[in-house]
């Protein structure tokens, strides 16, 4: 795989059926992240990027646990950056030609885990004021898992073709 020469070389490897928010924000950030990761980290693979996304997402969850304003800003930045790295892992897989069913599964599992941790971190903040916060976090987590399952089922249909 040749190393990309320009940031816009990444665009051809981006997912065509993304949400509008991903196309307008995250894909613009992810192509820069992908470009520099492929240039500066020889041999990087998509699961490595998934792990980076997961760790940054967990840092965001820790930021959600603290009531200080700076922690909320840290959480916001980390969660948004985690989404951008989540876009990058697929770009790296497609560019290096080393995508796999395991990578798709690992990406999906790490995404759902991050999101559930975020729900419960927010619930932790609201529990002293609203005692049903954990029930809402559990309901949101269940809904998130169902949506994730449907999204992954749709992906597997496309892979089979």
């Amino acid at each position: 795989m040749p190393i990309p020469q320009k940031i816009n070389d990444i665009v051809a490897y981006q997912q065509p059926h993304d949400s509008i928010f991903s196309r307008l924000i995250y894909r613009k950030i992810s192509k820069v992240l992908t470009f520099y990761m492929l240039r500066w980290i020889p041999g990087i693979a998509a699961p490595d990027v998934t792990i980076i996304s997961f760790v940054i997402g967990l840092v965001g969850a820790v930021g959600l646990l603290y009531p200080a304003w700076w922690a909320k800003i840290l959480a916001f930045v980390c969660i948004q950056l985690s989404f951008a790295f989540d876009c990058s892992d697929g770009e790296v897989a497609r560019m290096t030609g080393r995508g796999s069913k395991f990578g798709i599964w690992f990406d999906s599992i790490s995404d759902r885990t991050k999101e559930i941790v975020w729900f419960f971190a927010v619930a932790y903040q609201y529990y002293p004021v609203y005692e049903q916060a954990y029930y809402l976090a559990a309901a949101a987590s269940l809904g998130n898992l169902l949506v994730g399952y449907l999204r992954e089922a749709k992906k597997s249909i496309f892979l089979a073709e």
Side-chain angles (χ1 to χ4, degrees):
M1 187 247 10
I3 294 175
Q5 299 303 310
K6 299 179 306 213
I7 290 175
N8 282 335
D9 291 347
I10 308 296
V11 173
Y13 296 93
Q14 290 184 327
Q15 207 174 57
H17 51 279
D18 258 343
S19 69
I20 187 80
F21 200 70
S22 289
R23 282 195 306 266
L24 292 176
I25 296 174
Y26 299 124
R27 290 293 178 186
K28 292 186 185 324
I29 299 168
S30 73
K31 70 181 177 184
V32 175
L33 294 172
T34 302
F35 177 78
Y36 286 109
M37 282 189 291
L38 289 172
R39 290 184 71 88
W40 293 345
I41 308 171
I44 192 161
D48 302 331
V49 182
T50 301
I51 291 169
I52 292 168
S53 172
F54 185 74
V55 170
I56 292 171
L58 291 182
V59 171
V62 170
L64 289 172
L65 294 175
Y66 291 96
W69 64 270
W70 60 267
K72 301 300 184 224
I73 292 172
L74 173 71
F76 175 80
V77 170
C78 286
I79 289 170
Q80 300 310 311
L81 196 56
S82 177
F83 283 134
F85 272 103
D86 186 41
C87 292
S88 283
D89 59 11
E91 295 165 6
V92 168
R94 287 185 285 278
M95 287 196 78
T96 59
R98 295 188 311 188
S100 67
K101 288 185 180 184
F102 169 78
I104 294 169
W105 173 84
F106 183 58
D107 178 46
S108 179
I109 292 296
S110 70
D111 291 346
R112 299 300 82 74
T113 303
K114 278 187 305 193
E115 293 158 359
I116 290 169
V117 169
W118 294 335
F119 290 142
F120 280 97
V122 170
Y124 176 81
Q125 279 293 307
Y126 283 100
Y127 180 75
V129 178
Y130 187 66
E131 291 185 7
Q132 287 80 17
Y134 288 119
Y135 295 121
L136 288 175
S141 297
L142 180 61
N144 185 46
L145 289 172
L146 290 172
V147 168
Y149 172 77
L150 292 173
R151 187 179 303 142
E152 295 311 310
K154 183 177 85 172
K155 280 185 190 176
S156 68
I157 290 168
F158 289 127
L159 285 177
E161 294 174 355

